[in-house]
Amino acid sequence: MERGENGGLKGPVQVTAIQGDVTQAHEVAAAVTGAHVVIHTAGLVDVFGRASPKTIYEVNVQGTQNVIEACVQAGTRLLVYTSSMEVVGPNTKGHPFYRGNEDTPYEAVHKHPYPCSKALAERLVLEANGKKVRGGLPLVTCALRPTGIYGEGHQIMRDFYRQGLRLGGRLFRAIPASVEHGRVYVGNVAWMHVLVARELEQRAALMGGQVYFCYDRSPYKSYEDFNMEFLGPCGLRLVGARPLLPYWLLVLLATLNALLQWLLRPLLVYAPLLNPYTLAVANTTFTVSTDKAQRHFGYEPLFSWEDSRTRTILWVQASEGSAR
Ligand SMILES: NC(=O)C1=CN([C@@H]2O[C@H](COP(=O)(O)OP(=O)(O)OC[C@H]3O[C@@H](n4cnc5c(N)ncnc54)[C@H](O)[C@@H]3O)[C@@H](O)[C@H]2O)C=CC1
Ligand SMILES: CC(C)[C@@H](O)CC[C@@H](C)[C@H]1CC[C@H]2[C@@H]3[C@H](O)CC4=CC(=O)CC[C@]4(C)[C@H]3CC[C@]12C
């Protein structure tokens, strides 16, 4: 197949969809059979208490173990795993991670089921690097750590948008503007996965067993201010130059939400955006500044910040029709 000027593929690419459950080893084995490279991006992304810790573990950890085992049995030598910034932090102590990179020392301490599961899964993938697969050759693995992904299909962005519509076009600041979060456009995350899948075999000695943050040129902003880059052009406004409520009151409200979730669980799943974990993460600076992916396999973002922003705005506006 012919390649485009940025090295991307030109012309039709044949895709065969096989639906399956990563927690079912036999289904994973069937999906992996014959694959030259596996990109394992399936995961249960839940920090709102919708799923049980057991289910999060089964999908994110056992599911990843099933993928590794399937690669070994099938003789598939290349495995790329979608890990997460959360493997690093923010930690339970609220330590900021400011313009850090893959080598920045940071005390990665987690209690929440989601980051714990991603950290364990990443470790399984990296430890599997070099493991002999069927046929006797070594498995080559690496893990990509996206920061907060945004773009088309971002359900949390859609939830904020709908919340703003319900509140008369307003959202109320809860987090100081000074608390910066690194964010990355979904198209650039996908592009990094494609580049790794393409380069991992030839650069196995350099890339095998490595982790790479997913990054692009999206600006560092507070989570709420960053979201307003898209929700503002869709008619919403963020009220307050500073948080309208004191932090202790937000902690109280988040705790009440967690208590309500626990009390209501036998009847329904009550899973608001604000809970002790989401508040703590939102309130802790986490930004990355790295060029490791560029140095190791020539990664450059495929989508500029301007393009990423426009595409996301168009998606939110399109979801407006479904919101009303
Ligand atoms: N959303 C974010 O900000 C970030 C996400 N990630 C990681 O990116 C990956 C994709 O996440 P998102 O696209 O955000 O979430 P998503 O919920 O949109 O995608 C997760 C996918 O995994 C599939 N999946 C879930 N359980 C499965 C199972 N038992 N068997 C097979 N497939 C299953 C879902 O059907 C879905 O297509 C995940 O591994 C997540 O941990 C990493 C960093 C940031
Ligand atoms: C209610 C307010 C306090 C509001 O600001 C809460 C925002 C909160 C829902 C998000 C703030 C930071 C987000 C997380 C961050 O982007 C890192 C993530 C990485 C992942 O792998 C999965 C998603 C997430 C945990 C992401 C989830 C939503 C936030 C906690």
Side-chain angles (χ1 to χ4, degrees), residues 252-319:
L252 178 61
L253 291 173
T255 306
L256 285 174
N257 275 340
L259 179 61
L260 257 177
Q261 180 178 81
W262 181 76
L263 290 170
L264 293 172
R265 188 169 293 280
L267 304 172
L268 55 91
V269 175
Y270 171 65
L273 283 173
L274 176 66
N275 66 50
Y277 183 75
T278 61
L279 179 61
V281 174
N283 213 60
T284 307
T285 285
F286 196 102
T287 54
V288 300
S289 176
T290 180
D291 63 353
K292 183 177 179 184
Q294 196 282 326
R295 286 183 286 111
H296 279 211
F297 52 90
Y299 167 76
E300 286 296 339
L302 189 60
F303 299 91
S304 67
W305 157 238
E306 293 72 21
D307 199 6
S308 305
R309 180 173 181 271
T310 301
R311 287 166 176 264
T312 305
I313 290 169
L314 291 174
W315 175 76
V316 174
Q317 287 170 337
S319 72

Side-chain angles (χ1 to χ4, degrees), residues 178-217:
S178 59
V179 178
E180 290 185 338
H181 264 237
R183 305 287 289 275
V184 62
Y185 177 61
V186 61
N188 288 322
V189 175
W191 177 236
M192 191 180 282
H193 281 74
V194 167
L195 284 181
V196 170
R198 185 188 291 165
E199 298 298 331
L200 193 53
E201 190 166 24
Q202 290 79 8
R203 304 178 190 225
L206 175 65
M207 297 172 65
Q210 293 292 322
V211 296
Y212 300 94
F213 276 117
C214 295
Y215 63 91
D216 57 22
R217 295 186 179 84

Side-chain angles (χ1 to χ4, degrees), residues 20-23 41-45 59 82-84 114 118 146-149:
D21 184 343
V22 289
T23 65
T41 201
L44 186 47
V45 182
V59 174
T82 309
S83 180
S84 169
Y114 175 74
K118 294 300 287 187
T147 53
I149 299 175

Side-chain angles (χ1 to χ4, degrees), residues 4-295:
E5 65 283 349
N6 55 30
L9 295 176
K10 282 181 76 173
V13 175
Q14 185 185 345
V15 176
T16 306
I18 304 171
Q19 187 158 356
D21 184 343
V22 289
T23 65
Q24 301 304 306
H26 64 285
E27 294 185 15
V28 178
V32 168
T33 301
H36 178 62
V37 56
V38 170
I39 298 176
H40 171 35
T41 201
L44 186 47
V45 182
D46 181 26
V47 291
F48 306 105
R50 295 191 182 98
S52 68
K54 178 174 178 289
T55 304
I56 292 172
Y57 179 90
E58 285 170 351
V59 174
N60 293 349
V61 181
Q62 187 54 54
T64 298
Q65 185 54 47
N66 289 343
V67 170
I68 294 168
E69 199 47 40
C71 290
V72 168
Q73 291 308 319
T76 296
R77 290 197 53 223
L78 305 171
L79 172 58
V80 184
Y81 175 59
T82 309
S83 180
S84 169
M85 58 172 269
E86 290 249 307
V87 167
V88 176
N91 63 22
T92 53
K93 301 178 178 179
H95 294 162
F97 188 83
Y98 181 77
R99 308 285 198 277
N101 61 43
E102 291 84 351
D103 301 315
T104 301
Y106 185 83
E107 191 182 3
V109 182
H110 304 296
K111 282 194 299 188
H112 192 280
Y114 175 74
C116 286
S117 71
K118 294 300 287 187
L120 200 42
E122 180 187 283
R123 191 163 65 185
L124 289 173
V125 168
L126 300 181
E127 286 175 351
N129 186 60
K131 188 173 184 176
K132 291 287 185 290
V133 302
R134 181 187 297 266
L137 293 174
L139 179 64
V140 185
T141 71
C142 88
L144 302 184
R145 293 172 173 169
T147 53
I149 299 175
Y150 71 94
E152 299 89 328
H154 190 205
Q155 300 311 314
I156 297 172
M157 183 82 68
R158 190 208 55 193
D159 295 344
F160 273 116
Y161 180 55
R162 291 179 173 171
Q163 185 181 68
L165 290 177
R166 287 195 298 270
L167 295 171
R170 293 169 300 179
L171 289 170
F172 300 93
R173 185 184 295 276
I175 303 296
S178 59
V179 178
E180 290 185 338
H181 264 237
R183 305 287 289 275
V184 62
Y185 177 61
V186 61
N188 288 322
V189 175
W191 177 236
M192 191 180 282
H193 281 74
V194 167
L195 284 181
V196 170
R198 185 188 291 165
E199 298 298 331
L200 193 53
E201 190 166 24
Q202 290 79 8
R203 304 178 190 225
L206 175 65
M207 297 172 65
Q210 293 292 322
V211 296
Y212 300 94
F213 276 117
C214 295
Y215 63 91
D216 57 22
R217 295 186 179 84
S218 301
Y220 301 120
K221 288 193 172 203
S222 78
Y223 196 83
E224 294 170 331
D225 288 298
F226 190 87
N227 288 349
M228 289 312 294
E229 286 285 344
F230 319 106
L231 301 179
C234 293
L236 299 194
R237 117 179 125 85
L238 183 61
V239 175
R242 288 187 300 279
L244 300 182
L245 299 176
Y247 190 69
W248 66 265
L249 186 49
L250 285 169
V251 170
L252 178 61
L253 291 173
T255 306
L256 285 174
N257 275 340
L259 179 61
L260 257 177
Q261 180 178 81
W262 181 76
L263 290 170
L264 293 172
R265 188 169 293 280
L267 304 172
L268 55 91
V269 175
Y270 171 65
L273 283 173
L274 176 66
N275 66 50
Y277 183 75
T278 61
L279 179 61
V281 174
N283 213 60
T284 307
T285 285
F286 196 102
T287 54
V288 300
S289 176
T290 180
D291 63 353
K292 183 177 179 184
Q294 196 282 326
R295 286 183 286 111

